[in-house]
Amino acid sequence: MYVNLRHIIYGVIILRKIKKDAEQTKALILKVALNIFSEKSYEISTLNDIASAAGLTRGAIYWHFKDKNDILKELTTIHLGEFLNKLNFQLYIEGEDSLKTIKKLFDLYFEHFLDNESNMKFKKIIDGKMSFNENNPFVLEIFKEIIDKLLYDLNQTISYGQGRNEIRKDIDATFLTTTIISLLMGLDKIMNLNKHYENILNNREKFIQDTLAILKG
């Protein structure tokens, strides 16, 4: 009985180690793929590129992912899915000052994308290093879900703010909404081109406050 119990404990330890090693290998593949896709281009990158850079065999990659597209899908879930979850749970609070809600959106976007190296790399992949097509529709689907969520919440917030005289009424709520979204989406493109990168981050609070002042009128 004692021997059997010892074997069972030993087996559990081995299984835990195997699981831990597998998780570490998967994380390494995703990290390396993110770097290669953002630097080289998703379209021309290969599993051989990833395997070589990670110091793994193609077989090790196939153990975790069926193809390159599968890796991109996982990266999309991590980098865009996490942002969508934050939007769903952190942004809107009923009765909150509309400008405060919009500031939270700016802060969230800065923290998740502009001030996060790995998330910026992913945005670089979808902004300028790949095209949306029938081979990776999931990227477009989740990106569209984010845009739709932003458009709806912002439009509701701005309309609410206009009704409470917190936001200027001389400009249509829909126009203000699309302007803010375009402004946010444009920031990471500028930073990915390495133009005024540090300047944007160093002056983020002034940038946000100046934008809110324009909305207030």
Side-chain angles (χ1 to χ4, degrees):
M1 182 67 178
Y2 172 76
V3 174
N4 289 339
L5 180 59
R6 185 176 63 183
H7 286 172
I8 291 172
I9 294 174
Y10 181 71
V12 169
I13 293 174
I14 293 298
L15 287 175
R16 285 179 178 173
K17 185 179 186 306
I18 292 173
K19 181 180 180 181
K20 183 179 179 180
D21 289 345
E23 290 173 348
Q24 290 176 341
T25 300
K26 183 177 181 180
L28 175 62
I29 293 170
L30 289 170
K31 180 180 180 179
V32 170
L34 178 67
N35 289 333
I36 291 176
F37 291 166
S38 64
E39 294 170 4
K40 187 174 181 179
S41 138
Y42 172 77
E43 278 80 5
I44 66 174
S45 298
T46 66
L47 291 183
N48 283 334
D49 293 331
I50 297 171
S52 176
L56 301 170
T57 63
R58 280 174 61 98
I61 294 179
Y62 282 127
W63 179 261
H64 297 279
F65 302 99
K66 61 183 180 181
D67 53 27
K68 182 176 71 170
N69 209 45
D70 201 29
I71 296 176
L72 179 64
K73 188 172 185 178
E74 182 89 5
L75 289 172
T76 301
T77 300
I78 293 171
H79 297 283
L80 289 187
E82 181 184 337
F83 182 68
L84 183 59
N85 287 336
K86 289 178 180 178
L87 283 179
N88 287 329
F89 293 109
Q90 296 183 15
L91 186 59
Y92 182 72
I93 297 177
E94 187 173 355
E96 183 176 68
D97 180 276
S98 56
L99 291 173
K100 185 176 180 179
T101 299
I102 294 171
K103 183 182 186 307
K104 281 165 54 179
L105 171 61
F106 274 93
D107 287 336
L108 179 60
Y109 199 86
F110 264 92
E111 290 166 7
H112 186 81
F113 288 116
L114 307 185
D115 206 15
N116 184 295
E117 185 179 357
S118 62
N119 288 335
M120 277 288 285
K121 286 180 180 179
F122 184 79
K123 283 293 270 109
K124 188 174 183 179
I125 295 170
I126 62 175
D127 283 344
K129 295 288 187 176
M130 66 170 289
S131 57
F132 299 115
N133 56 53
E134 65 279 1
N135 294 321
N136 42 58
F138 50 86
V139 179
L140 182 57
E141 286 170 9
I142 193 168
F143 198 68
K144 182 179 183 301
E145 190 174 352
I146 288 174
I147 297 299
D148 288 346
K149 172 71 175 170
L150 284 172
L151 287 172
Y152 178 79
D153 281 0
L154 262 181
N155 193 269
Q156 292 290 101
T157 301
I158 290 174
S159 296
Y160 172 76
Q162 288 177 329
R164 292 180 28 156
N165 294 316
E166 295 168 349
I167 294 178
R168 62 193 305 165
K169 297 180 180 180
D170 59 326
I171 301 178
D172 180 71
T174 300
F175 181 82
L176 288 175
T177 298
T178 54
T179 299
I180 291 175
I181 298 297
S182 299
L183 184 61
L184 283 173
M185 297 293 177
L187 287 176
D188 57 80
K189 289 183 175 64
I190 292 174
M191 290 175 67
N192 272 324
L193 290 171
N194 295 318
K195 294 178 180 178
H196 313 300
Y197 182 93
E198 292 299 331
N199 191 43
I200 290 175
L201 289 180
N202 293 337
N203 293 281
R204 88 182 243 182
E205 194 59 35
K206 185 178 187 307
F207 171 84
I208 294 173
Q209 291 302 328
D210 286 350
T211 303
L212 294 178
I214 292 172
L215 287 174
K216 190 173 181 179

